Amino acid sequence: MRRSRRLLAALALLAPALLGFAPGDSGETISLAGNLPGERLDVTLTQVVDPAAPAGSTDTGGPAGPDRLVATRLRLENTGTAVYQDSPAPATHLLDTAGQRFTGLDLPTAAGPAFPAAVTLGPGATAEGFVTFRIPADAEPAAVQFALNGGLADDVGQWSLPPR
């Protein structure tokens, strides 16, 4: 059982590289294209807060409940020629070591301000904000993924996360 979990975790982390995803470590900037001409962002995962306290709380929301919050801070820079208009939360996913995939939420936490539901960036403009994930308390985050066009673009960036 433990061996099959490790194999699944390894496949979950290797699959993006095998499928042409752009890999990266936390802090690395990855250049991503959208599905429309001129759509291009440089995306950087700058911070991971695990566990993250709910907004207005000093409690970390740790293992006391069945779920916990994980907040990831992203920096988006429009390096393309088109205006970027999208919602960063559903475009962001967290993968755990068991191969589960969690979609980002527009949920504020004490870690810092969340992205607004819609972000509009002209060429050369930047924005930073947190995308939050609700995951099982015992889940071990392994990677964060981001893609333009609501997460549906073919070009997907992935950042590996160190074990907690």
Side-chain angles (χ1 to χ4, degrees), residues 58-117:
T58 57
D59 176 26
T60 62
D67 295 332
R68 76 175 190 271
L69 299 177
V70 176
T72 58
R73 185 177 181 147
L74 297 171
R75 180 179 187 277
L76 310 176
E77 179 181 0
N78 185 343
T79 56
T81 57
V83 172
Y84 166 77
Q85 188 169 12
D86 206 352
S87 179
T92 311
H93 294 90
L94 184 137
L95 305 174
D96 73 5
T97 56
Q100 295 181 88
R101 186 174 183 220
F102 305 91
T103 301
L105 305 169
D106 290 320
L107 184 66
T109 67
F115 279 109

